[in-house]
Amino acid sequence: MEKRPTSSHRPRTPRKTTSNGKRIALGFLIILLVMVTGIGCGFLTASMNTKPDLAHDILPPASSHIYDTNGNEIANIHADENREPVKIAQVPKDLQNAFVAVEDNRFYDHMGIDPRGIARAIYANLRGRTVTEGGSTITQQLAKNAYLTQDRTIKRKIQEVFLALQLERQYTKQEILELYLNQIYFGQGAYGVQAAAQTYFGKNVEDLDLDECAMLAGIPKSPNYYSPQNNLQAAQERKATVLDQMAKYGYITETEAAKTKKMEPTIVKPKPKDTTNQAAYFVDYVTQLMIDKYGADAVYKEGLKIYTTIDMDMQKAAEDAMKNLPNSKVDANGIQQPQGALVAIDPHNGYIKAMVGGRGTDQFNRATMAERQPGSAFKPFVFAAALENKFTPSTVIDDSPMKVGDWAPQNYNRTFNGKVTLRYVAEQSLNVPTVKIAQKLGIDKPIYYAQEMGISSFVLDGPQNDRNLSTALGGLTKGVTPLELTSAYGTFANKGVHVDPVAVTKVLDRNGKVLEQAEPKQRSVISEQSAAELTDMLEGVIQKGTGTRAKIGRPAAGKTGTTSDYHDAWFVGYTPDLVAGVWIGSDNNTSLGGMSGGLTPAVIWKAFMSKALASTPPKNFDGSAAGGKSDAIGELENDKKSELKSDKKTSNGKQDAAKTDGGKNAQQSGQQTQGGGNQPSAPAQAPAQQPAAPASNVPEPGGGVSKGRN
C-alpha cells in the first residue's frame, strides 16, 4: 500500500521566520504610531493650548452682508449687544440646573470634554436619532463662543478641545458656568442671562421663578424660533423639554415638572419692528438659518457674506399684494388682525423668490413658523395618491351619504351630487368623495406622498394623530406652514419631482473663503403622468371651480382651502415657472367672518402672480392635456347619467355663483376644516362636531407605495 505523507514531513522553519517578521514589523509600526502621535500632540499643544496664539482673537467685529439673487445687498446685520454680566451667586439655582440638565448633564463630572457624551451623540447620529444634550460640553461651548470662530473644521474642533481643557485647569466649575451664562446669546440682541431676563420677563435674573428659568434655558438652542416674543407655543414646548430633563436628572420632581409645564409666564412685549427694510421677514429667516449653522457670533461679528435666492422685484410684488389684507381688529398685543403670509418658490430649483410673514409690525414669521390647518388645500395629496394608484381624472366616485363610526362627513353645501368624476371632485372640492377615495387607498398613502413632498408636521403616533380619514380634508393635529405647503405644491409644477426649498445659495467668510454652496436636494415622488393629470384637474379649479378669482390670463393651476368656522383661508397655485401660496388667519385662531380661500387669498394670489410674472412669457404645462377632454371612461365608470350631470353642473352659470370649497366636516382635536369658496355668504349651519373616524386596516407610512408609475 502506498504511504501517505504525514504532517511530520512538512517543513516548519519558514513559518517561524514569517511569524517573527510580522511581529517585528508590527513592533516598528506601533513605535512609529506612538512617535507620530506624540509629535502631533506636542505640536498641537504648543500651537493651540494658549489663548494668545489664536490669531482670530484679535480680529475686530465685522458686520455680515445679505445679498439678493442678483448680488445686490439688501441687509447689513451686526451685533447690537445688550449684555450685563452678573455673578453666579445672583443666578437662581433653578436656572443653573436647567442649563446643566439640558446642555451638559455631566458638567460637574467631566474634565472639560465628555467622552461618554461624545459616544452617545455619535451613536444617536448613526441610528438616525437625536439626543437632548448633544456632544459638546458647556466648557467646550464657552471656549468656542468666547475665543474661536464658528468654522466647522477639524482644526477648530481641536482648538476647542484644548481650550476646554485649559479652562478646566484655570477655573472652577462655578466660574466656568458663570462665564458661560454671561456669554450665550438669547436673541433680540440679549447676551447673557441678565439681559435675557430683562428682555423677556422685565425683571432681574435673581427674581426668575422655575417656569421662567426653564423657558430661558431653552432659548439658546434656536434664539429666534424659541423666543417667546416670536413663537410662544414653540417656547412652551421647548420649556417642557427642559423640565423633563431637570426631572430626569433629579433637580426637580416629576410633579413639579408637570405643574410647571401648564404655566405660562408673562412675556414683555417686544419693541416695534423697523418696517423700513424690504424683505424683513426673509432677512430674519436667513439670519436664523445662519445662526443655527454657524452661531450668533459668526453672523453678527465675523463679516459673513450671505448670498440668497430672494428676487426683490417679486418681493415688492408680494408686499404690495399683501396690502389687500382686511383690517378687522387689533388684538391684546397691539397687533392688527387678521395676519397673512405669502411664499413664492421656483419649483425647478427650490429657490425662495419672495416671502412675507405678516404685516411687518412684529417678528413672528408666519410663513415659516405658523402651523395652521390647511383645509381643502390638503386634498391634492389625496388626488395624487389616487392617480398613482390606477385612478384617472375620469374615474367616477359616488357622492352619496357615508358613515365611518360616528362620523358622517358632509359636503360644504350639505347636498350630494350622485356619481361624479375625480376631476369634478377636485374642481368643486367635494368632501364625501374625497373621504371615500382616502378610505379606499388608506390614509397613509396620502400622508406618505405629502411627507415626500416636504410636509414634516404630521403626528403619526399617540392618542391624537393624523392617521384617520379627517386628514383627507385637511384636519391635521398640528397643521402645516405656508412654506412647506407651497413647496409641496411645487412638486406638481415640477413634473412630480420635489425640490427642497432653498434660501441661501452661498456663504463666504470675511476673507472670501467659501463656507457653503447650495446643492438643491430633489427626489422623484410621483410620476410625470400623474403630475400632469393632477395639474390639469387643478387648472379646472381656477377656470370653473372654487378658485375663479385667481384667473391671471395664462395657464395656472391651484387649490382653495378654508377651515371650519373660517379660522384659516388659503390659496396655493402655480404656473410652469412659479408656485405661490397665500394664507390668511388670526394669530389667536378666531373666525375670519366668512372669508374663504376663494375670496381674499385668491385675489392676493392673482395680484402677486400677475405682477411677478409680467415679464415672463406665458406657456402651457407640459403634458397637461393628458387629463383633458380625451379622458377615457373605464368599464365601471361608464355611467352616462353621471357624465351628463357633471357636464351640466360645470356649465351652469348659476352654479358658478354658488361654488364653494369642501372640507366642512373634517374633525381633528376639536377642529373642522373646509375649503375656500367664491361667494361671501355663509353655508348652512353644520351639525355638532363628532369624533374623527379612524381609517381601518391602513399600512405603515410608505408601505406598498411606489415612487411613481414611471
Side-chain angles (χ1 to χ4, degrees):
M1 178 179 285
E2 183 179 354
K3 293 184 179 179
R4 296 178 182 178
T6 63
S7 58
S8 60
H9 297 130
R10 295 172 185 170
R12 298 177 181 269
T13 304
R15 177 174 293 183
K16 290 183 179 180
T17 303
T18 302
S19 177
N20 291 337
K22 287 182 177 179
R23 290 176 182 174
I24 294 171
L26 181 61
F28 275 117
L29 183 62
I30 292 173
I31 294 172
L32 181 62
L33 182 62
V34 170
M35 291 175 62
V36 170
T37 302
I39 294 171
C41 289
F43 172 77
L44 290 172
T45 301
S47 61
M48 300 177 181
N49 195 30
T50 57
K51 178 176 176 295
D53 289 339
L54 298 175
H56 291 290
D57 279 349
I58 62 175
L59 288 175
S63 298
S64 290
H65 303 269
I66 297 180
Y67 303 92
D68 68 7
T69 190
N70 296 313
N72 300 314
E73 183 174 326
I74 58 173
N76 182 312
I77 51 179
H78 55 275
D80 183 15
E81 287 195 24
N82 174 16
R83 190 196 303 271
E84 186 177 343
V86 292
K87 296 295 184 183
I88 193 66
Q90 297 173 255
V91 180
K93 203 66 179 176
D94 281 336
L95 186 56
Q96 298 179 40
N97 294 337
F99 271 101
V100 170
V102 78
E103 295 290 344
D104 183 6
N105 68 84
R106 283 175 36 80
F107 172 68
Y108 294 107
D109 299 321
H110 60 64
M111 57 181 180
I113 58 173
D114 184 12
R116 188 186 303 179
I118 295 172
R120 182 177 59 249
I122 293 173
Y123 176 75
N125 289 334
L126 292 175
R127 292 290 299 269
R129 299 181 291 107
T130 59
V131 292
T132 305
E133 303 91 334
S136 294
T137 66
I138 283 177
T139 314
Q140 285 177 270
Q141 293 180 51
L142 173 62
K144 178 180 68 175
N145 293 333
Y147 305 126
L148 301 174
T149 68
Q150 306 297 321
D151 292 344
R152 294 188 171 189
T153 62
I154 295 177
K155 177 182 178 181
R156 202 273 296 156
K157 195 66 178 177
I158 294 173
Q159 289 176 323
E160 177 186 302
V161 168
F162 275 99
L163 279 170
L165 295 173
Q166 183 180 358
L167 286 169
E168 290 279 345
R169 289 198 304 269
Q170 294 181 356
Y171 300 101
T172 67
K173 289 290 186 180
Q174 286 297 92
E175 289 172 333
I176 290 173
L177 189 59
E178 178 182 308
L179 290 168
Y180 173 77
L181 294 176
N182 284 310
Q183 179 70 31
I184 49 180
Y185 180 62
F186 288 87
Q188 311 297 333
Y191 284 81
V193 291
Q194 172 63 12
Q198 288 285 352
T199 298
Y200 292 112
F201 307 118
K203 58 176 67 174
N204 292 323
V205 66
E206 58 261 35
D207 299 324
L208 298 179
D209 58 24
L210 174 60
D211 182 39
E212 294 161 337
C213 288
M215 181 167 285
L216 211 60
I219 295 175
K221 180 178 175 65
S222 182
N224 190 44
Y225 184 76
Y226 291 117
S227 164
Q229 291 180 351
N230 292 349
N231 195 344
L232 184 58
Q233 180 181 349
Q236 286 282 83
E237 292 173 357
R238 176 65 177 161
K239 179 188 76 175
T241 300
V242 175
L243 291 168
D244 286 339
Q245 290 297 107
M246 294 181 73
K248 177 180 178 180
Y249 296 112
Y251 293 114
I252 58 175
T253 65
E254 295 285 353
T255 302
E256 288 176 305
K259 179 181 178 182
T260 309
K261 286 179 186 179
K262 299 176 182 178
M263 300 172 64
E264 186 171 308
T266 301
I267 306 300
V268 174
K269 292 182 180 180
K271 296 179 181 179
K273 183 178 174 63
D274 182 4
T275 60
T276 59
N277 294 329
Q278 279 192 322
Y281 287 105
F282 180 77
V283 168
D284 284 349
Y285 174 62
V286 169
T287 300
Q288 187 56 46
L289 290 178
M290 295 295 96
I291 289 175
D292 290 344
K293 182 171 290 189
Y294 300 106
D297 283 351
V299 174
Y300 291 120
K301 299 178 182 180
E302 294 183 11
L304 301 181
K305 290 180 174 58
I306 305 161
Y307 294 87
T308 73
T309 60
I310 199 76
D311 183 310
M312 292 308 294
D313 291 333
M314 290 190 183
Q315 179 66 26
K316 178 65 164 56
E319 293 176 0
D320 288 344
M322 290 298 284
K323 293 176 182 177
N324 289 304
L325 283 173
N327 296 323
S328 297
K329 59 182 179 181
V330 177
D331 65 18
N333 295 319
I335 304 297
Q336 179 70 56
Q337 301 294 339
Q339 286 285 339
L342 188 154
V343 179
I345 299 174
D346 184 330
H348 307 301
N349 54 23
Y351 285 10
I352 299 172
K353 310 304 289 186
M355 176 184 288
V356 179
R359 292 177 180 267
T361 55
D362 63 1
Q363 291 181 289
F364 180 54
N365 189 343
R366 295 155 188 84
T368 62
M369 296 179 180
E371 291 182 336
R372 305 291 295 222
Q373 299 297 307
S376 290
F378 184 84
K379 289 178 181 176
F381 304 113
V382 178
F383 304 149
L387 294 170
E388 285 290 281
N389 286 270
K390 301 182 180 180
F391 281 65
T392 72
S394 60
T395 297
V396 172
I397 302 98
D398 189 10
D399 181 16
S400 59
M402 69 175 297
K403 195 169 185 179
V404 184
D406 295 329
W407 182 44
Q410 298 288 327
N411 291 320
Y412 180 81
N413 58 8
R414 316 295 297 167
T415 63
F416 297 95
N417 300 274
K419 293 184 178 180
V420 292
T421 63
L422 180 60
R423 179 189 305 283
Y424 186 72
V425 172
E427 290 173 356
Q428 304 303 317
S429 197
L430 300 179
N431 290 340
V432 176
T434 303
V435 174
K436 287 185 176 181
I437 295 169
Q439 186 180 47
K440 182 175 179 62
L441 297 173
I443 193 60
D444 277 22
K445 287 185 178 179
I447 289 175
Y448 166 78
Y449 286 111
Q451 286 178 315
E452 288 292 288
M453 296 180 200
I455 295 180
S456 60
S457 54
F458 289 108
V459 177
L460 301 180
D461 300 303
Q464 292 184 337
N465 61 71
D466 294 320
R467 301 179 73 174
N468 58 73
L469 291 178
S470 69
T471 293
L473 305 182
L476 306 184
T477 304
K478 287 186 175 181
V480 61
T481 66
L483 175 61
E484 285 195 345
L485 189 59
T486 303
S487 174
Y489 270 60
T491 310
F492 311 141
N494 196 35
K495 302 180 181 181
V497 177
H498 177 71
V499 185
D500 290 347
V502 177
V504 176
T505 57
K506 184 168 60 175
V507 179
L508 308 179
D509 67 12
R510 67 167 77 197
N511 298 316
K513 176 186 175 184
V514 177
L515 300 181
E516 68 172 88
Q517 190 112 22
E519 296 180 1
K521 299 177 182 178
Q522 62 182 29
R523 55 189 172 276
S524 176
V525 182
I526 61 175
S527 69
E528 185 173 339
Q529 179 184 351
S530 294
E533 291 173 341
L534 180 59
T535 293
D536 195 66
M537 290 161 53
L538 297 185
E539 283 186 273
V541 172
I542 294 178
Q543 291 302 315
K544 55 186 177 181
T546 61
T548 55
R549 282 180 170 82
K551 289 182 181 179
I552 55 175
R554 65 169 69 204
K559 187 70 186 73
T560 53
T562 313
T563 58
S564 182
D565 299 325
Y566 302 100
H567 289 167
D568 302 90
W570 298 78
F571 190 87
V572 188
Y574 54 93
T575 68
D577 303 297
L578 191 67
V579 55
V582 176
W583 165 83
I584 299 176
S586 295
D587 289 335
N588 58 2
N589 209 32
T590 55
S591 174
L592 295 172
M595 182 193 297
S596 58
L599 296 176
T600 307
V603 171
I604 291 175
W605 187 89
K606 176 182 178 179
F608 166 71
M609 293 292 279
S610 297
K611 188 176 292 186
L613 296 173
S615 60
T616 302
K619 64 180 180 181
N620 291 317
F621 291 100
D622 291 341
S624 62
K629 294 181 180 179
S630 61
D631 288 339
I633 304 268
E635 287 183 14
L636 298 178
E637 302 137 11
N638 192 13
D639 189 318
K640 297 297 181 183
K641 292 182 180 179
S642 68
E643 294 175 54
L644 291 173
K645 186 171 187 177
S646 177
D647 291 341
K648 182 178 180 181
K649 285 182 179 293
T650 56
S651 62
N652 191 327
K654 293 182 180 180
Q655 286 288 338
D656 281 349
K659 286 167 187 167
T660 53
D661 194 12
K664 183 69 178 175
N665 287 273
Q667 293 103 328
Q668 177 70 23
S669 305
Q671 295 185 351
Q672 293 180 312
T673 62
Q674 70 198 24
N678 283 328
Q679 65 173 13
S681 59
Q685 182 65 35
Q689 295 184 4
Q690 303 202 12
S696 57
N697 300 322
V698 293
E700 291 295 321
V705 182
S706 64
K707 281 259 186 168
R709 292 185 301 191
N710 60 340

